[in-house]
Amino acid sequence: MPEKRTNRKVSKPKKQKVKQGHKLVWLTLIILIIPVVVVGYVLLTSASESDQPVVGNRFDPQDLNPKIQETEINSIQGELMSIGGMETATVTLKSATLRIHLNMVDSADNATLQAAADQAYQIVSNHLPIETYFTNTAEGKNYDLEIDSYNYLVDDTHPQEGWRFIKVSKSGAGQKVTDIITEPRNAELAQQVRTSTPQATTDTPPAEEAQEPLPEEVVE
């Protein structure tokens, strides 16, 4: 007898469904990485520009022309040390302001400090003419100049009474100005302020009187 053939169904392997958990993990990682990359980029660009002068947004492209160069600053720095009575001198350029700090000998009086500041002003003018670099023109704004001349900074060994500080400044929009910071412009008024007693301490009535009711005409 012929053999009977039985047709067996071959079962195909079922496709496994891709789990959604992996997609959520990758999506979460991407969301977290984006702000980290942005913050890192900002920090990196800020660090790379930290040694450059900050001029701010108040200047237009035609302002600060001509620009002060590093070689000119170094030349001024070296020449400042030739001033008599000089201990240390520093020159910085930041926010479109050339700042010069002259630390003179502790015994320097106002006349010595004033002479040093004026000499420093002339040194700057020799390398960077005032009318060219520190005076505004119709074409645009220019730099400001500040020169500080002092005998010392007040601390435990340097009393307030002997401190002397003179400042010479020249803005692009103004004229040269000299201020003696450690001396009042109106000595008589300053003395009155020091010796006067605050009005509130002399006119304050005793606690008992302060609690008494005011007269009717005053209340009205």
Side-chain angles (χ1 to χ4, degrees):
M1 295 180 64
E3 295 181 356
K4 293 183 179 180
R5 294 181 180 179
T6 57
N7 296 329
R8 295 181 181 179
K9 294 182 179 180
V10 179
S11 59
K12 296 180 179 180
K14 296 182 179 180
K15 294 182 178 180
Q16 295 182 353
K17 295 182 179 180
V18 179
K19 296 182 179 180
Q20 299 295 326
H22 294 83
K23 294 182 178 180
L24 293 176
V25 171
W26 283 109
L27 181 61
T28 303
L29 289 176
I30 293 173
I31 293 175
L32 293 176
I33 290 174
I34 290 175
V36 174
V37 172
V38 172
V39 173
Y41 175 77
V42 172
L43 294 176
L44 183 63
T45 54
S46 299
S48 63
E49 298 176 356
S50 60
D51 59 341
Q52 299 179 6
V54 179
V55 296
N57 295 328
R58 60 191 178 100
F59 297 102
D60 296 325
Q62 69 272 14
D63 295 335
L64 305 181
N65 185 27
K67 295 187 179 299
I68 297 176
Q69 305 298 325
E70 189 69 25
T71 54
E72 297 165 333
I73 295 177
N74 294 336
S75 298
I76 293 173
Q77 173 88 51
E79 200 166 337
L80 289 174
M81 294 306 300
S82 64
I83 298 176
M86 182 70 63
E87 288 192 347
T88 59
T90 59
V91 183
T92 60
L93 178 62
K94 189 175 182 180
S95 298
T97 301
L98 185 68
R99 292 182 173 89
I100 297 177
H101 305 284
L102 307 177
N103 182 12
M104 309 294 291
V105 294
D106 292 355
S107 59
D109 55 11
N110 284 344
T112 302
L113 298 180
Q114 183 67 66
D118 291 340
Q119 190 172 346
Y121 188 90
Q122 186 59 48
I123 291 174
V124 172
S125 181
N126 293 340
H127 293 273
L128 304 169
I130 302 299
E131 293 298 324
T132 303
Y133 287 87
F134 303 101
T135 303
N136 293 346
T137 64
E139 288 74 23
K141 300 177 183 178
N142 273 322
Y143 296 90
D144 296 336
L145 173 63
E146 295 180 1
I147 301 175
D148 301 331
S149 179
Y150 55 93
N151 58 339
Y152 57 72
L153 297 177
V154 177
D155 55 23
D156 295 338
T157 59
H158 298 88
Q160 176 79 27
E161 292 74 15
W163 178 49
R164 297 179 179 86
F165 191 103
I166 291 179
K167 182 175 183 178
V168 175
S169 58
K170 168 68 174 73
S171 66
Q175 302 296 322
K176 177 183 176 183
V177 177
T178 299
D179 289 315
I180 303 178
I181 307 299
T182 50
E183 290 185 4
R185 294 185 178 182
N186 190 329
E188 183 179 353
L189 177 61
Q191 184 62 28
Q192 292 177 0
V193 172
R194 293 192 189 98
T195 57
S196 64
T197 304
Q199 188 70 16
T201 60
T202 58
D203 296 343
T204 302
E208 295 80 2
E209 298 180 5
Q211 295 176 357
E212 295 180 358
L214 297 175
E216 295 182 0
E217 62 270 18
V218 175
V219 175
E220 295 176 357

